[in-house]
């Protein structure tokens, strides 16, 4: 049906970044709004530097180069896993939020700082610092080391001050717990106020049994332990404290007296020239969210939101200078924005409709407008839009179609807009907020045809209940019916089918299409981007409705003559690995061959924060856990299954695959295993990735491609 210009190789498939995906990252502005800053590797690789692009002249300069390679601590390695970061060199940067002169901080094995454009210098005493953070005025740096919170003046005028004590194995100060990091996106555990106080977390996990992970692939045996809270078991005890940055007595703030999660903490303007500490608390069942303000230490509940079947945590809340605040909620079934008075009362409804606010970009308080991304055009697109803080008409700032995001300058005059589509690799433009100018700052030179690929075709399918489902098809040469491969994820909080360049440069799908397979990606009910009602279909029944939808799409393709119903395979990673095996077990008549990476074999072996949101606990949903377990249905395997797993995966433990193997052996079912002893949840080693892709392609070629 479609002729490719060239042929991809296994090396192409295994190489990161993908073609055109080397666009700048962490795009922002200097505090004075005079320059755009971003992380970028000029050679198109993974080793990035920090760049500055002048808004007026477009002059470009490198503020910080990648520096020499340095050993990464275990803690830094694990934080990179939390954020799924592959890039090296300068991995992050931040500016002081309220300094007279711009103060830049770059974390690393030793923290580096620059004041008012001076050359970067290393801060002695910050060796091994975790989650470093500048004070608002830029004069001090806080960080965590060995489980304790420290503060250091950046001018070297005095020594490091230790603010906490008593840390031990399982007890830390100033760091977020595993569930907050992995499942709620809360990577930080301490926060500065403008009057030099620091709010911090005390995390006590000593009652959670250590889970050992043994490094067996090297010359030396190494054992790391994690306090991993399994579904239905105890969580970490997390408390919130405030301490003067100069040292002194820390004060504990009262949190709800119930099991739950502290998912967001921030200092907000109180409208009177000062600040108040606010925190978002969600109950363990994740059906009730409270926004709590600590005015003078006493707690006041500003928002008390209850929702079925669960509440998704967002990053949209913003405190404004007049004491009002921005809030988002899915109370209508779709995430939308409201403006609230300082006591929590609703002032204005800012957005509404059967579409979602995908995220808040920023607030121009002087101009009285909030900028955000949305699905108002289509679930397959993301628009950059804005609306007045007093409500009214929504204005679209991005070009039609595709996926768009942006950063907003502090003065509200500029947007750095990132655009891409199936046919256009990411580009970055400087856009005047008043619409007077648009300047292209970055454009990839990659185009689909010269690298031997074409964008997939986007189309719709129908679920059994009539719900419209969106899919993407990668066609091989020739007329159908073709052997079909389903590239599946299937789980909540993810959307794989978008009008975005990343879908085009899914090189495994493109490579397999070149080998003669029709490749399908489908966003089944339960996935993100369509609102809470669409996502909630899998409530308490993971591994059921998702398989039904994938199977329905396969049958529709077969009915149309595109797919050979007798030659269908499936592959995926993580939730997609789980879905791969569950599809083969629940529909062995349809899914004959599979490659499953890092699958969850039984939800009782995954963590509390994620699993209980969707499934409840093993204690209150025993039937859902039983039916959603691969172990329950292992004796139904008929097809050819290849399991892939990293030996030191700290997210989906190798224990999941080990338990599945035990069940398959007990049921006398054949399987193949590819284990990477030194890899975690996200494989990184180039040689290993190439080996993996060869094995994947060979598995499908051997068992599916031939008549």
């Amino acid at each position: 049906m479609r002729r490719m210009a060239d042929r991809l190789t296994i090396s192409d498939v295994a190489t990161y970044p993908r073609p055109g995906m080397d666009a700048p990252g962490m795009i922002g502005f200097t505090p004075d709004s005079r320059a755009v800053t971003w992380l970028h590797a000029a050679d198109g690789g993974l080793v990035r530097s920090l760049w500055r692009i002048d808004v007026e002249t477009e002059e470009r300069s490198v503020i910080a180069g990648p520096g020499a390679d340095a050993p990464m601590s275990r803690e830094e390695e694990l934080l990179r896993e939390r954020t799924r970061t592959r890039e090296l060199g300068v991995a992050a940067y931040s500016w002081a939020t309220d300094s007279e002169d711009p103060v830049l901080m770059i974390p690393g094995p030793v923290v580096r700082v620059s004041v008012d454009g001076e050359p970067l210098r290393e801060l002695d005493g910050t060796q091994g610092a975790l989650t470093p953070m500048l004070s608002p005025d830029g004069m001090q740096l806080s960080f965590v080391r060995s489980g304790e919170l420290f503060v250091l003046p950046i001018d070297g005028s005095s020594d490091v001050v230790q603010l906490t004590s008593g840390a031990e194995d399982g007890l830390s100060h100033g760091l977020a717990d595993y569930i907050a990091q992995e499942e709620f996106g809360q990577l930080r555990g301490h926060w500065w106020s403008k009057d030099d106080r620091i709010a911090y977390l005390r995390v006590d996990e000593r009652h959670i049994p250590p889970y050992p992970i043994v490094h067996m692939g090297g010359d030396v045996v190494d054992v790391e332990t994690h306090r991993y809270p399994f579904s239905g078991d105890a969580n970490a005890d997390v408390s919130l404290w405030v301490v003067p940055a100069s040292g002194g007595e820390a004060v504990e703030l009262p949190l709800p007296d119930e099991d739950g999660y502290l998912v967001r903490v921030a200092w907000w303007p109180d409208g009177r020239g000062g600040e108040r500490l606010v925190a978002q608390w969600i109950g363990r069942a994740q059906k009730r969210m409270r926004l709590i303000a600590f005015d003078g230490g006493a707690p006041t509940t500003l928002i008390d939101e209850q929702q079925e079947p669960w509440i998704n945590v967002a990053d949209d809340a913003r405190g404004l200078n007049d004491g009002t605040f921005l809030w988002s909620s899915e109370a209508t079934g779709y995430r939308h924005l409201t403006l609230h008075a300082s006591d929590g009362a609703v002032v204005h409804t800012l957005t509404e409709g059967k579409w979602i606010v995908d995220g808040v970009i920023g607030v121009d308080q002087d101009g009285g407008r909030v900028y955000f991304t949305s699905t108002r055009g289509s679930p397959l697109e993301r628009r950059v839009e804005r609306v007045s803080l007093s409500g009214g008409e929504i204005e679209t700032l991005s070009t039609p179609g595709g996926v768009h995001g942006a950063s907003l300058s502090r003065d509200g005059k500029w947007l750095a807009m990132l655009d891409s589509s199936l046919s256009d690799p990411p580009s970055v433009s400087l856009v005047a907020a008043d619409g007077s100018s648009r300047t292209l700052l970055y454009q990839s030179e990659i185009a689909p045809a010269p690298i031997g690929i074409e964008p997939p075709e986007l189309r719709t399918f129908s679920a059994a209940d009539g719900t419209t489902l969106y899919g993407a098809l990668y066609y091989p040469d020739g007329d159908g019916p073709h052997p079909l491969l389903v590239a599946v994820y299937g789980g909540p909080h993810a959307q794989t089918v978008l009008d975005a360049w990343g879908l085009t440069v899914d090189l495994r799908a493109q490579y397999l299409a070149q080998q003669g397979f029709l490749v399908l990606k489908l966003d089944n009910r339960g996935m993100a981007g369509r609102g809470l009602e669409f996502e909630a279909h899998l409530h308490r029944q993971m591994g059921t409705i998702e398989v039904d939808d994938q199977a329905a799409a396969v049958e529709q393709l077969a009915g149309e003559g595109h797919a050979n119903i007798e030659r269908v395979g499936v592959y995926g990673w993580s939730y997609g690995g789980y879905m791969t095996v569950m599809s083969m077990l629940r529909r062995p008549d349809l899914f004959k061959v599979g490659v499953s990476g890092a699958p969850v074999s039984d939800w009782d072996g995954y963590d509390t924060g994620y699993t209980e949101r969707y499934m409840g606990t093993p204690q209150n949903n025993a039937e859902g856990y039983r039916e959603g377990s691969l172990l329950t249905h292992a004796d139904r395997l008929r097809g050819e299954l290849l399991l892939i797993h990293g030996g030191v995966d700290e997210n989906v433990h190798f224990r999941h695959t080990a338990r599945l193997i035990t069940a398959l052996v007990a049921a006398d079912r054949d399987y193949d295993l590819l284990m990477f002893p030194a890899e975690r949840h996200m494989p990184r080693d180039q040689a290993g990735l190439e080996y993996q892709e060869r094995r994947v392609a060979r598995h499908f070629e051997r068992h599916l491609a031939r008549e």
Side-chain angles (χ1 to χ4, degrees):
M1 183 176 290
R2 292 177 178 166
R3 181 70 56 185
M4 302 300 179
D6 294 301
R7 306 291 288 184
L8 293 168
T9 67
I10 287 293
S11 179
D12 294 330
V13 178
T15 299
Y16 290 88
R18 300 302 195 195
M21 296 300 286
D22 58 336
M26 285 196 71
I27 303 171
F29 288 85
T30 54
D32 58 12
S33 302
R34 294 174 58 183
V36 175
T37 53
W38 64 39
L39 299 180
H40 187 228
D43 63 357
L46 291 172
V47 183
R48 302 191 297 187
S49 298
L50 174 59
W51 291 73
R52 181 188 189 277
I53 302 92
D54 190 275
V55 166
E56 297 296 332
T57 67
E58 298 180 44
E59 181 181 354
R60 300 172 186 232
S61 58
V62 174
I63 299 176
D69 291 336
M72 195 177 301
S73 69
R74 176 67 47 79
E75 291 80 6
E76 290 173 311
E77 178 185 327
L78 293 172
L79 281 172
R80 288 172 60 83
E81 286 294 315
R82 300 288 80 75
T83 56
R84 309 295 189 260
T85 300
R86 288 186 183 274
E87 290 80 10
L88 301 169
V90 180
Y93 69 97
S94 63
W95 299 94
T97 58
D98 197 33
S99 59
E100 293 185 5
D101 297 316
V103 181
L104 170 69
M105 185 272 292
I106 297 178
V110 178
V111 175
R112 294 181 286 168
V113 296
S114 169
V115 179
D116 199 20
E118 294 179 350
L120 284 159
R121 57 184 172 84
E122 293 186 346
L123 283 183
D124 189 34
T126 63
Q127 291 79 0
L130 296 176
T131 63
M133 185 178 185
L134 286 168
S135 61
D137 63 9
M139 294 297 99
Q140 300 180 84
L141 182 85
S142 59
F143 60 90
V144 177
R145 185 168 52 211
S146 301
E148 303 290 11
L149 181 62
F150 296 85
V151 166
L152 174 68
I154 68 167
D155 63 4
S157 59
S158 61
D159 295 332
V160 174
V161 176
Q162 182 173 333
L163 300 181
T164 61
S165 61
E168 58 179 273
D169 181 24
L171 176 64
S172 65
H173 305 99
L175 294 174
D177 65 288
Y178 172 83
I179 296 298
Q181 292 183 35
E182 178 66 27
E183 307 303 355
F184 293 107
Q186 177 60 274
L187 301 177
R188 182 168 298 283
H190 63 276
W191 302 265
W192 281 87
S193 74
K194 290 184 179 181
D195 62 357
D196 286 345
R197 290 178 291 160
I198 300 179
Y200 69 90
L201 303 181
R202 180 183 186 271
V203 175
D204 188 352
E205 304 171 306
R206 290 174 294 183
H207 56 286
I208 300 176
Y211 183 87
I213 294 178
V214 182
H215 292 248
M216 297 181 290
D219 296 331
V220 178
V221 176
D222 180 21
V223 181
E224 63 181 79
T225 59
H226 296 264
R227 307 280 180 164
Y228 190 98
F230 292 103
S231 180
D233 291 344
N235 273 314
D237 291 330
V238 178
S239 53
L240 180 61
W241 298 70
V242 175
V243 64
S246 58
E249 182 180 357
V251 176
E252 182 179 4
L253 301 180
L255 295 173
D257 187 19
E258 64 176 64
D259 198 356
Y261 305 96
L262 186 59
V263 294
R264 298 289 183 271
V265 178
W267 293 93
W268 283 358
D270 62 9
R272 302 183 299 274
E275 288 184 307
R276 60 176 175 173
L277 187 67
V278 297
Q280 293 181 43
W281 175 271
I282 190 167
R284 178 154 179 173
Q286 301 186 55
K287 300 175 187 293
R288 183 184 184 189
M289 164 78 81
R290 276 170 279 184
L291 174 65
I292 303 167
F294 298 94
D295 295 304
T300 301
T301 299
L302 304 179
I303 300 284
D304 192 340
E305 185 175 301
Q306 300 189 55
Q307 184 172 285
E308 292 287 346
W310 61 74
I311 291 177
N312 289 311
V313 176
D315 288 315
D316 301 328
R318 301 286 193 282
L320 307 183
N321 292 335
D322 62 1
T324 62
F325 64 91
L326 189 68
W327 185 253
S328 76
S329 168
E330 292 180 294
T332 64
Y334 299 87
R335 184 167 297 282
H336 284 294
L337 300 175
T338 47
L339 183 71
H340 293 251
S342 60
D343 64 358
V346 176
V347 177
H348 296 295
T349 296
L350 304 182
T351 65
E352 56 188 342
K354 292 187 176 181
W355 49 274
I356 64 171
V357 171
D358 194 51
V360 170
I361 294 168
V363 180
D364 173 13
Q365 297 192 55
D366 292 337
R369 294 178 294 196
V370 56
Y371 292 74
F372 58 93
T373 54
S374 84
T375 64
R376 199 161 64 100
S378 162
L380 301 180
E381 301 171 3
R382 293 295 184 272
R383 292 178 173 180
V384 172
E385 304 196 295
R386 68 184 174 195
V387 67
S388 169
L389 287 171
S390 58
E393 292 296 318
I394 296 172
E395 183 181 1
T396 302
L397 304 177
S398 53
T399 54
V403 170
H404 309 274
S407 296
L408 179 68
S409 65
R410 184 176 296 186
D411 63 9
K413 295 181 179 180
W414 299 100
L415 290 161
M417 196 173 297
L418 180 66
D419 311 301
S420 91
S421 69
L422 287 171
S423 56
D424 299 305
S427 63
V428 182
S429 298
L430 181 66
V431 180
D434 62 7
S436 61
S437 66
R438 183 185 183 100
T439 304
L440 184 66
L441 297 182
Y442 170 84
Q443 176 67 67
S444 172
E445 297 179 358
I446 295 294
I451 58 173
I453 61 175
E454 291 188 14
E457 175 187 283
L458 300 183
R459 57 160 293 177
T460 60
F461 297 87
S462 294
D465 66 354
T467 299
T468 297
L469 306 174
Y470 293 101
L473 286 172
Y474 302 78
Y475 286 97
D477 289 344
D479 297 324
H482 305 284
L484 173 66
L485 293 178
V486 178
V488 66
Y489 181 76
H493 267 214
Q495 184 178 6
T496 61
V497 181
L498 287 161
D499 182 12
W501 179 253
L503 196 65
T504 296
V505 290
D506 179 342
L507 294 191
R508 178 189 282 178
Q510 294 279 11
Y511 177 86
L512 291 170
Q514 290 183 359
Q515 306 312 305
F517 297 99
L518 175 64
V519 181
L520 166 68
K521 281 190 173 184
L522 180 83
D523 283 352
N524 50 252
R525 285 172 293 172
M527 295 185 70
R530 304 276 298 273
L532 184 60
E533 182 179 352
F534 185 85
E535 193 178 34
H537 278 284
L538 52 67
H539 182 224
R540 295 174 69 87
Q541 56 173 355
M542 281 178 165
T544 59
I545 200 79
E546 314 97 292
V547 175
D548 294 343
D549 286 356
Q550 298 289 334
V554 169
E555 290 167 343
Q556 287 172 56
L557 286 173
E560 295 167 0
H562 295 302
N564 184 337
I565 198 72
E566 298 301 323
R567 299 164 67 195
V568 179
V570 57
Y571 65 87
W573 199 271
S574 197
Y575 200 104
Y578 165 74
M579 278 288 293
T580 293
V581 182
M582 187 61 86
S583 297
M584 296 182 70
L585 299 180
R586 291 192 66 239
R587 290 299 305 270
D589 60 312
L590 194 62
F591 297 99
K592 307 294 178 59
V593 183
V595 175
S596 169
V600 173
S601 63
D602 194 308
W603 290 107
D604 69 2
Y606 202 58
D607 70 51
T608 54
Y610 182 92
T611 311
E612 294 175 11
R613 181 186 312 146
Y614 308 116
M615 289 288 284
T617 66
Q619 295 86 348
N620 64 29
N621 186 21
E623 179 64 13
Y625 274 77
R626 191 188 73 82
E627 283 300 307
S629 171
L630 304 181
L631 311 182
T632 301
H633 311 287
D635 62 350
R636 300 182 63 185
L637 181 68
R638 298 185 206 166
E640 302 291 340
L641 174 62
L642 171 63
L643 296 167
I644 307 176
H645 215 132
V648 292
D649 190 335
E650 87 298 340
N651 181 350
V652 181
H653 302 139
F654 182 78
R655 171 177 176 246
H656 284 276
T657 287
R659 293 175 74 186
L660 177 56
I661 288 171
T662 299
L664 292 172
V665 170
D668 194 24
R669 296 294 185 263
D670 293 338
Y671 68 92
D672 290 312
L673 174 66
L674 173 57
M675 180 183 178
F676 291 100
E679 292 285 10
R680 295 194 182 273
H681 191 58
M682 187 175 75
R684 298 171 184 271
D685 174 68
Q686 179 68 24
L689 285 169
E690 291 192 23
Y691 180 78
Q692 171 184 281
E693 295 303 330
R694 281 194 295 272
R695 288 288 302 272
V696 170
R698 190 183 310 152
H699 186 76
F700 287 127
E701 169 69 25
R702 180 180 299 157
H703 299 297
L704 201 62
R706 299 168 183 167
E707 295 285 2

